[in-house]
Amino acid sequence: MRRLGLVVIAALAVTAQAHAATLTVSPSDFSPRRATLQVSAKLTIVRQVGVRLARPDGRPVGWIVPPARRTTLSFGWDGRIAGRRVPDGNYLVKLVYRSSTLAAAPLRIDTTAPALEDLTVSNGSTPFATPLHRERSIGLVM
């Protein structure tokens, strides 16, 4: 009986690896105003899979690519689902087969450009003056 249990466990481990799936999302920090999100997936056997966007708690936002029978997938996403731009925030991109997630990758959507505010640069010395400013300050420019 113990051997049968070990054989079953070994068979399940081999089966899980034989049906492995990979999902790649690049870049993981994404601005749809500046780029296209590159998404690729590979499966070891043909399955009806799709790519779904979900919130961090797992609630689905919508299908990025609807399910279809495939072993590979490669596409660029513009940040829209059903024609509407997805709001800024943290998400999960999921490779979904039926109701199971085969693979997932984190994604941050950020359309706000970075800005420098209250920036002061100093090395602690006297501010530099150009030669023209020095000549005017000592009265040499006529």
Side-chain angles (χ1 to χ4, degrees):
M1 187 68 163
R2 186 172 182 197
R3 281 188 181 170
L4 179 62
L6 292 174
V7 170
V8 170
I9 290 172
L12 289 174
V14 170
T15 303
Q17 289 180 352
H19 299 297
T22 60
L23 176 68
T24 305
V25 175
S26 179
S28 59
D29 289 332
F30 169 60
S31 175
R33 292 183 180 170
R34 299 284 176 226
T36 300
L37 184 72
Q38 298 302 313
V39 179
S40 62
K42 290 184 182 180
L43 295 104
T44 55
I45 61 173
V46 176
R47 296 244 190 225
Q48 181 141 344
V49 295
V51 177
R52 184 164 43 194
L53 189 68
R55 292 179 177 85
D57 64 5
R59 288 183 298 146
V61 175
W63 290 104
I64 296 173
V65 175
R69 289 185 54 81
R70 57 182 66 131
T71 57
T72 62
L73 176 70
S74 183
F75 67 95
W77 183 54
D78 64 359
R80 295 177 183 273
I81 292 181
R84 299 180 125 172
R85 191 160 291 225
V86 175
D88 288 3
N90 294 313
Y91 297 93
L92 288 173
V93 178
K94 295 182 172 188
L95 183 64
V96 178
Y97 170 65
R98 295 185 180 166
S99 61
S100 298
T101 299
L102 301 178
L107 174 66
R108 180 174 175 251
I109 297 176
D110 184 2
T111 58
T112 305
L116 295 174
E117 296 179 3
D118 300 324
L119 176 67
T120 304
V121 179
S122 172
N123 65 1
S125 67
T126 306
F128 176 76
T130 64
L132 180 60
H133 289 124
R134 273 186 262 158
E135 291 171 359
R136 284 188 180 154
S137 67
I138 58 174
L140 296 176
V141 176
M142 295 182 205

